[in-house]
Amino acid sequence: MKVNYKKLWVLCAEAEISKAELRKRAGLSSATFTKLRKNQEVNLSVLLKIADVMQCNAGDMTDFVPDDKVLPIEADA
């Protein structure tokens, strides 16, 4: 399984919080934030800090996707 943080970036956009502001408010290092931007694994403590800032749960900001997930090909309607 892989992690995807797309939901987090959508939450930031909806709350009008830039990525830089989120990093500052959550007290995250630039290296940790780079991991988030690259959809890499981070410690649970990082997700808890972000959840506190964004007032959300882990499921609101992450998705777990299978390594071999293939996007379905949509048929023409």
Side-chain angles (χ1 to χ4, degrees):
M1 295 290 265
K2 292 183 180 179
V3 66
N4 184 302
Y5 299 104
K6 182 177 179 180
K7 288 180 176 180
L8 173 59
W9 311 131
V10 171
L11 281 176
C12 286
E14 290 173 351
E16 297 181 359
I17 296 174
S18 69
K19 291 179 181 180
E21 182 66 19
L22 175 62
R23 185 175 83 80
K24 182 179 174 183
R25 287 187 190 182
L28 303 176
S29 71
S30 59
T32 296
F33 211 77
T34 296
K35 285 184 174 185
L36 289 168
R37 289 194 336 258
K38 292 182 176 183
N39 289 320
Q40 295 176 350
E41 295 175 19
V42 295
N43 290 329
L44 180 58
S45 61
V46 170
L47 296 179
L48 290 171
K49 289 176 185 179
I50 294 170
D52 188 44
V53 170
M54 299 302 294
Q55 294 295 296
C56 67
N57 290 310
D60 297 330
M61 57 185 164
T62 63
D63 275 322
F64 296 127
V65 292
D67 290 334
D68 61 348
K69 182 176 180 181
V70 177
L71 297 176
I73 298 173
E74 295 182 24
D76 292 333

